Amino acid sequence: MIGEDEILLIPGPTTLSSRVRQAMARPQQSHVSQEFYNSFKESLELARYVFGNSTGLQFIFSGSGTIGMESSVVSLLEPGDKVLVVETGYFGHRFSMLAEIHGCKVESLVTELGRKVDPKIVDEKLKQGGYKALLFTHVDTSNSVMNDIVALSRVAKENGVLSICDSVSGLGGAPLIFDSLGADVVITGSQKAIAGPPGATLIALSKHAFEIMESRKTPIQSYYMNLMRWKPVMEDPKIYLTTPSVQVILGLREALLQIKEEGIENRWKRHEKFAEAIRVGLESIGLLPVPDRESRSPTVTAFYAPERRASEIQEKLRTEFGIHISKGFGEYRDSMLRIGHFGNISASEVLALLGSLEIVVRGSRVEAQVYGKAVETALPILRS
Ligand SMILES: Cc1ncc(COP(=O)(O)O)c(C=O)c1O
């Protein structure tokens, strides 16, 4: 069990505020009570605020981020549809797999490790014609590469194809205004930069995407993941489709309320400041972020583990300092480490991470008095 004084800096789920935890610890409510109905309604309104979605449809339902991705794919795309999928990492590849499973003809555009996709290349591809949708990841948590969501949404729109964006690791920490993007679908999960508990997906869907869904030639091949079925429930949460995860929604509502209280723009600024402090702190002690400068994210940072010591560094950070970070995915298990710096992270946690990481990485090879470089480098940014 993670202790109260330990620091969870994995790329999701993230630390829950005491307000969120208390909201979830109330006695069980009926899912059809007026009290829960009000909370659900309020969560949907707050989600609209966090997405910047006043023009489209807003969904929240139980499941993880993947449910949101698969619901979008199965509801909007039909077997035989040709789609372009940007693969900036593991989660981009997941989009390709989902589209393939649901019968789409998938063309994947795989980027070099650490590089976001060039929107011009996407534009050239889409200009070849025949595509129904562009699927891409906003922040790929597997390597912390952030794609240019504004440019990619625009390119999709200009080419008359649907844009479906996985912002599971972006929304709530990285700038994103659904209304001005002109995007068709943006998906997130409750447990990352929103800082709610795991267990809900949140989706913003444009009116255009809804019309496409309405005019499908074939039925949607899912009961639970059918967005057409969820639409009336979102308009009136008293309608029963499935039992909502009451506690998750109550926790999520509180997390969304905290975002509103902070102000979404202030939150984006705080995330960027902390991310920059972490990056310069890492670089000051010779740790290299995986993404190139143009592809970095304000929510997650992956960096190369010196001498493939990812396991050892992760373990020492945890046992000596009570700080939890993650290793890389698959083939990068030994060579990469990943920090989730989203949600309610504080400046003191950033400093604790950098100070501890420096001690662990440098080990006994330097004199004690030279420790502190990462903290010293990051401090002016945190104070700016
Ligand atoms: C970018 C991204 N997309 C999708 C997912 C899948 O979300 P979930 O694990 O909540 O299903 C994750 C989870 O880490 C993610 O980081």
Side-chain angles (χ1 to χ4, degrees), residues 11-12 63-69 91-92 94 137-142 166-170 189-192 198-200 329 338:
S64 68
T66 309
I67 279 273
M69 295 167 77
F91 290 103
R94 178 169 293 185
T137 320
H138 187 191
V139 178
D140 203 304
T141 325
S142 64
D166 159 8
S167 189
V168 168
S169 264
S190 47
Q191 78 276 25
K192 306 255 187 184
F329 266 69
R338 297 175 303 132

Side-chain angles (χ1 to χ4, degrees), residues 46-47 49-52 138-139 149 167-177 186-190 192-196 202 255-256 258-260 262-272 298-299 341-345:
L46 289 164
Y49 167 75
V50 176
F51 274 83
H138 187 191
V139 178
I149 187 173
S167 189
V168 168
S169 264
L171 192 119
L176 187 170
I177 304 171
V186 175
I187 304 143
T188 198
S190 47
K192 306 255 187 184
I194 287 178
L202 300 88
L256 292 167
Q258 285 190 269
I259 298 179
K260 184 147 192 209
E262 180 176 7
I264 191 73
E265 286 172 13
N266 293 335
R267 194 173 174 93
W268 295 337
K269 281 189 209 136
R270 176 170 62 81
H271 277 75
E272 185 46 45
T299 51
H341 37 81
F342 42 43
N344 301 311
I345 180 174

Side-chain angles (χ1 to χ4, degrees), residues 9 15 22 24 32 40-41 49 60 81 87 95 100-101 103-104 107 112 120 132 154 205 209 241 325 366 382:
L9 294 175
T15 306
Q22 278 162 20
M24 296 175 73
V32 292
F40 204 151
K41 271 288 214 198
Y49 167 75
I60 301 177
D81 281 344
E87 289 194 21
F95 248 156
E100 242 162 50
I101 286 167
C104 297
E107 227 174 88
E112 207 181 304
K120 276 196 225 117
K132 166 96 168 264
R154 192 187 56 235
L205 190 95
L241 179 60
I325 65 171
V366 286
L382 289 176

Side-chain angles (χ1 to χ4, degrees), residues 353-374:
L353 167 74
L354 291 172
S356 308
L357 194 58
E358 181 170 350
I359 294 166
V360 168
V361 169
R362 291 182 152 192
S364 53
R365 278 171 292 177
V366 286
E367 297 299 322
Q369 59 264 34
V370 305
Y371 290 139
K373 192 153 195 264

Side-chain angles (χ1 to χ4, degrees), residues 156-303:
K157 206 176 174 69
E158 282 168 3
N159 284 282
V161 308
L162 289 167
S163 63
I164 306 181
C165 172
D166 159 8
S167 189
V168 168
S169 264
L171 192 119
L176 187 170
I177 304 171
F178 182 76
D179 286 343
S180 40
L181 279 179
D184 289 299
V185 189
V186 175
I187 304 143
T188 198
S190 47
Q191 78 276 25
K192 306 255 187 184
I194 287 178
T201 189
L202 300 88
I203 306 173
L205 190 95
S206 72
K207 292 217 171 89
H208 173 63
F210 178 68
E211 283 159 17
I212 300 275
M213 201 158 64
E214 256 187 327
S215 60
R216 290 174 61 106
K217 294 188 204 75
T218 58
I220 296 172
Q221 291 294 319
S222 173
Y223 184 88
Y224 189 87
M225 291 185 290
N226 182 336
L227 293 178
M228 290 301 273
R229 272 189 218 281
W230 283 108
K231 181 176 176 276
V233 183
M234 298 300 115
E235 284 157 2
D236 178 8
K238 278 207 171 126
I239 297 173
Y240 170 76
L241 179 60
T242 70
T243 307
S245 315
V246 173
Q247 279 77 359
V248 172
I249 300 296
L250 296 178
L252 173 64
R253 187 195 77 103
E254 201 62 34
L256 292 167
L257 195 58
Q258 285 190 269
I259 298 179
K260 184 147 192 209
E261 286 167 8
E262 180 176 7
I264 191 73
E265 286 172 13
N266 293 335
R267 194 173 174 93
W268 295 337
K269 281 189 209 136
R270 176 170 62 81
H271 277 75
E272 185 46 45
K273 183 192 276 199
F274 287 4
E276 183 58 12
I278 288 172
R279 290 175 209 133
V280 300
L282 292 176
E283 283 171 337
S284 75
I285 51 171
L287 299 174
L288 188 66
V290 174
D292 62 24
R293 289 201 183 279
E294 293 72 46
S295 311
R296 295 178 180 176
S297 140
T299 51
V300 184
T301 296
F303 64 97

